[in-house]
Amino acid sequence: MRTQVGIVGAGPAGLMLSHLLHLRGIESVVLESRSRDHVEHRVRAGVLEQGSVDLLCRAGLGERLLREGLRHEGIELRFAGESHRVPMTELTGRAITVYGQQEVVKDLIAARLAAGGRILFEADAVRLAGLDSDSPVVHFRRDGREEELRCDFVAGCDGFHGVSRRAAPEGALTTYERTYPFAWLGVLAAAAPAVTELVYAHHDRGFALYSMRSPEISRLYLQVAPDEDVAAWPDERIWAELRTRLETVPGWSLTEGSILEKSVTPMRSFVVEPMRWKRLFLAGDAVHIVPPTGAKGMNLALADVALLADAFAGWYDRGRADLLAGYSATALRRVWRAQHFSWWMTSMLHRLDRDDPYETKVQTATLRYVATSRAYATSLAENYVGMPEV
Ligand code: APR
Ligand code: PHB
């Protein structure tokens, strides 16, 4: 099999890259180890920055997004028994849209297949070869047989556990990382959201987040231990804990409903530099991870591939190598902005250390500063809705 750009991974990064390349007349093949059903139903992130919504709309993917996505103009912070709204749109002129990552993935798969795009599901990339030649090869396994995809370039969009990043030789890439001593228990519930905007709560018992997917479905998160066993969280315990951590506002109550899904996600900050080795270009979770507190993961993946698609178009249409050469440095500016913001939100909102009351006092002072200073609230807001330039 032969194509121009061989793409490993059908998450938001790989699929969006394939779509953007198609719009510019560049061919690609996407290899995805899981089934179509699996990738379309995996519950992941849910917040799109204004820039991501604009990008999806410009690429012709806005129809269902604008109809079903929930546009939010603020978020709420709860701490020390108080509630404060950060009026993001008033402060920045921009908004976010709540729309599940799996919905973005469904829209992208539908658009690629309708345009005759090639996505091979249950095709597991096992090895990349010839990356330092002008004809790299992705070796993949499908139906128990090993096959080859020959291409001009490989885009490694295969997430944190993928094979692409590991194809660069030892010492070629530098890793920067931090793990946090907690995880999130994520819950999807058939319960009408009891809030109209996302609520980020700082509580002595740990962080909680109230998000949503639709007028009928709530998406909730609780800070838990990094090695937490989901089995220790029967539904009643989840609701009781959410009630305690979120009920900082008199008269407010949680809407309960049946829990459809629960899972534990570790929290990690991770960046690999550069985002390129020879003819391998890395994008999305394959090359950087943020803790979910800043809601940046999916947005970074989309921003990476928007740059990469422009760079490939420069190469194929105009014989320009400079955009490909500059891809990593340009993308990393946004990546590190998001790294800082996600680390800052995470540090401000979680219970960091049970034995350090000083830490808690500083967190409360930081939250109160956001709540009372227009300048500081604007800093949070402009990062949250996404900075146009970084
Ligand atoms: N061969 C083929 N596909 C692979 C391989 C492999 N060896 N390894 C992993 N994959 C696939 C995974 O099954 C997954 O579908 O690569 C895809 C990577 O997709 P994502 O993990 O969704 O990563 P990305 O597209 O970068 O999107 C980042 O995902 O985890 C969230 O918060 C994160 O929102 C962010 C988004
Ligand atoms: C989500 O809705 O899944 C979500 C929202 C905000 C976050 C993280 C996740 O910070």
Side-chain angles (χ1 to χ4, degrees):
M1 207 179 292
R2 152 119 218 134
T3 192
Q4 291 178 301
V5 181
I7 300 176
V8 187
L15 291 166
M16 186 66 174
L17 178 61
S18 179
H19 180 74
L20 292 172
L21 291 176
H22 163 72
L23 295 179
R24 292 173 148 100
I26 301 165
E27 261 186 38
S28 65
V29 172
V30 181
L31 304 176
E32 167 57 51
S33 56
R34 312 302 295 255
S35 67
R36 177 176 178 183
D37 187 64
H38 180 89
V39 299
E40 288 191 341
H41 294 97
R42 197 164 41 184
V43 182
R44 310 283 276 280
V47 171
L48 290 169
E49 296 173 353
Q50 179 86 54
S52 301
V53 172
D54 295 345
L55 175 70
L56 289 162
C57 291
R58 277 199 307 275
L61 295 157
E63 203 250 329
R64 194 164 70 95
L65 164 63
L66 294 180
R67 187 160 30 91
E68 294 178 15
L70 309 167
R71 185 185 142 92
H72 286 190
E73 300 196 340
I75 57 168
E76 193 181 321
L77 298 175
R78 291 188 187 178
F79 62 95
E82 301 166 19
S83 164
H84 296 273
R85 179 170 189 261
V86 179
M88 296 180 310
T89 305
E90 184 192 314
L91 295 170
T92 68
R94 300 191 297 283
I96 55 139
T97 297
V98 179
Y99 190 64
Q101 180 169 315
Q102 76 271 32
E103 306 307 324
V104 175
V105 164
K106 279 182 203 159
D107 295 345
L108 279 164
I109 291 175
R112 285 311 294 124
L113 297 181
R118 283 184 290 171
I119 309 171
L120 308 186
F121 292 101
E122 297 175 74
D124 195 18
V126 286
R127 194 165 60 84
L128 313 186
L131 292 168
D132 53 355
S133 74
D134 57 10
S135 180
V137 184
V138 184
H139 296 266
F140 65 98
R141 202 170 290 128
R142 189 165 57 143
D143 294 332
R145 282 199 318 273
E146 189 148 317
E147 298 180 52
E148 289 180 7
L149 173 64
R150 291 188 173 273
C151 40
D152 301 333
F153 298 98
V154 179
C157 303
D158 46 353
F160 183 69
H161 301 286
V163 293
S164 300
R165 186 177 68 240
R166 288 170 248 273
E170 188 74 31
L173 307 179
T174 306
T175 302
Y176 301 87
E177 64 186 320
R178 167 161 303 185
T179 54
Y180 299 88
F182 40 78
W184 279 13
L185 171 69
V187 168
L188 195 69
V195 293
T196 51
E197 294 177 337
L198 271 57
V199 178
Y200 287 80
H202 174 69
H203 193 277
D204 283 349
R205 295 178 61 84
F207 170 74
L209 169 60
Y210 201 131
S211 181
M212 62 201 70
R213 284 293 176 272
S214 72
E216 297 84 34
I217 303 284
S218 296
R219 177 78 173 140
L220 301 140
Y221 298 96
L222 286 168
Q223 175 184 353
V224 293
D227 53 353
E228 195 76 34
D229 181 3
V230 188
W233 288 87
D235 296 3
E236 195 32 59
R237 181 176 177 205
I238 293 176
W239 288 119
E241 196 62 30
L242 284 165
R243 231 179 283 127
T244 308
R245 296 190 196 180
L246 287 162
E247 276 185 3
T248 50
V249 180
W252 185 80
S253 73
L254 198 64
T255 323
E256 297 185 14
S258 62
I259 290 181
L260 308 172
E261 214 244 25
K262 47 186 139 170
S263 58
V264 172
T265 314
M267 304 277 279
R268 167 186 295 122
S269 296
F270 170 88
V271 182
V272 157
E273 292 189 10
M275 291 167 61
R276 168 201 190 169
W277 188 72
K278 307 279 181 178
R279 291 227 166 188
L280 169 67
F281 290 83
L282 297 163
D285 275 18
V287 66
H288 44 69
I289 300 280
V290 280
T293 329
K296 288 284 159 262
M298 175 165 45
N299 296 292
L300 280 183
L302 294 172
D304 285 352
V305 299
L307 279 178
L308 198 47
D310 282 345
F312 282 131
W315 170 271
Y316 284 109
D317 298 348
R318 287 163 278 143
R320 283 179 61 172
D322 59 320
L323 296 176
L324 285 174
Y327 163 69
S328 174
T330 308
L332 281 166
R333 288 212 295 272
R334 179 172 296 278
V335 168
W336 280 107
R337 173 89 312 280
Q339 287 290 333
H340 166 258
F341 178 64
S342 307
W343 162 84
W344 177 73
M345 286 283 278
T346 301
S347 314
M348 176 171 71
L349 286 160
H350 288 75
R351 173 89 203 203
L352 300 177
D353 184 342
R354 289 204 182 277
D355 300 322
D356 189 350
Y358 179 85
E359 196 97 63
T360 313
K361 291 280 186 192
V362 170
Q363 287 178 312
T364 309
T366 312
L367 283 158
R368 187 149 287 129
Y369 188 31
V370 175
T372 51
S373 156
R374 193 173 172 91
Y376 212 41
T378 305
S379 171
L380 188 158
E382 69 178 354
N383 277 280
Y384 198 87
V385 298
M387 312 264 296
E389 298 291 334
V390 280

